[in-house]
Amino acid sequence: MSEHGRALGGWDRGGRAPQEPGGTVWRLRSRACWQEAAELLRPAAEHDPTVALEMAELLIEQCMFTAAHWQQAEQALRLAEAGVATAEQRAAASCARGFLAYVASVLGPRDRLDEAQAALGRTSALLPPDAPGRPLLDFRRGLVAENLLRDPTAAWIAYRRAHDGARAHGDELLTSYTWRHLAALALAGGDTSRAREGFAASLELREQLGFTVGVAPALAALAEVSEPAEAARLRAEAARLVQALGGVPVWLARQLSAVPAPGAPPDGRIGQEAGDAIS
């Protein structure tokens, strides 16, 4: 999905200062202020395809947490796609296109599986095996395999590659996502101990990075493998965070019954399953 503040979307873009944890864009993004963060990037995005890709990833992430704002993400991605000039930029834009189609399939009004698979396939063709964008691509292919194709074995293989690659590149936020999804597969397979390890590691990384909007889903996931008293404490803490952020993630808000969840898609597919598919 996305990674830590060094580079939105998991691509090594030379350590742009606004994306560093503690930078303005990162602080806004981590506090669910995607619109404000995008506005800071917009002037440069008009003429810099790298920044345009960063803005598109930011707004796709907003869709993931809000199940809304699809048109803004689409417009930002089209701007990025129109400006790409290098193979790396084309790969990044295609990876973002595949992810937007995936998120829309899980949280939006229609199935875009074919689009997601085609875009991620193009990304793979454009990237050399050791490219910095490979771990993110592998992770997103794992999401499609697990939640759209219902193939947990293929998902585990993709997540494992993504996990190893993210750790090798020092990509701590992506690592928090790979821990989370490997743990969920372990839990589905009955390995509670490994699931607890993964959920705890994911939470720890997000807290260390200050990725506030991602902490509540990590708390709720850890609650699933905790003793009843501890689980209640974790869910209460998650509910407080969701409420403080204005009801995002919307699917977790509904699950926890913490606050109303505006922006639910017409088919109402927001809840435990949707949260597991994207958080």
Side-chain angles (χ1 to χ4, degrees), residues 91-176:
S94 188
C95 193
R97 169 63 62 190
F99 187 50
L100 178 58
Y102 166 77
V103 175
S105 295
V106 174
L107 295 177
R110 64 187 179 90
D111 183 358
R112 295 171 61 179
L113 170 60
D114 290 346
E115 181 185 352
Q117 288 183 294
L120 296 179
R122 287 195 302 273
T123 307
S124 184
L126 288 164
L127 286 178
D130 59 348
R134 273 280 168 188
L136 182 65
L137 170 62
D138 287 333
F139 177 66
R140 289 176 172 176
R141 295 182 99 168
L143 291 172
V144 171
E146 181 184 6
N147 299 299
L148 299 183
L149 299 178
R150 306 299 179 186
D151 187 342
T153 300
W156 188 90
I157 292 170
Y159 290 151
R160 188 72 247 181
R161 285 198 304 263
H163 187 71
D164 293 342
R167 296 181 79 177
H169 286 285
D171 195 337
E172 291 177 306
L173 187 51
L174 181 54
T175 302
S176 84

Side-chain angles (χ1 to χ4, degrees), residues 21 26 42 108 110 112 129 135 156-158 162 175 208 211 220 233 270:
W26 168 257
R42 193 174 303 280
R110 64 187 179 90
R112 295 171 61 179
W156 188 90
I157 292 170
T175 302
Q208 289 175 351
F211 189 55
R233 184 192 68 79
I270 293 179

Side-chain angles (χ1 to χ4, degrees), residues 34-78:
W34 297 281
Q35 297 282 344
E36 293 86 342
E39 287 306 310
L40 291 179
L41 295 176
R42 193 174 303 280
E46 297 294 336
H47 56 80
D48 185 334
T50 295
V51 180
L53 285 164
E54 292 172 352
M55 186 174 74
E57 286 278 5
L58 185 80
L59 292 173
I60 295 169
E61 184 177 85
Q62 178 178 233
C63 295
M64 182 182 74
F65 281 96
T66 65
H69 307 288
W70 304 103
Q71 190 59 38
Q72 289 181 325
E74 181 65 40
Q75 290 171 351
L77 183 52
R78 286 177 182 171

Side-chain angles (χ1 to χ4, degrees), residues 1 64 176-177 180-181 202 206 214 217-218 251 274-279:
M1 291 173 34
M64 182 182 74
S176 84
Y177 278 105
R180 160 79 175 86
H181 285 267
S202 177
R206 292 182 181 192
W251 32 266
D276 287 345
I278 59 179
S279 65

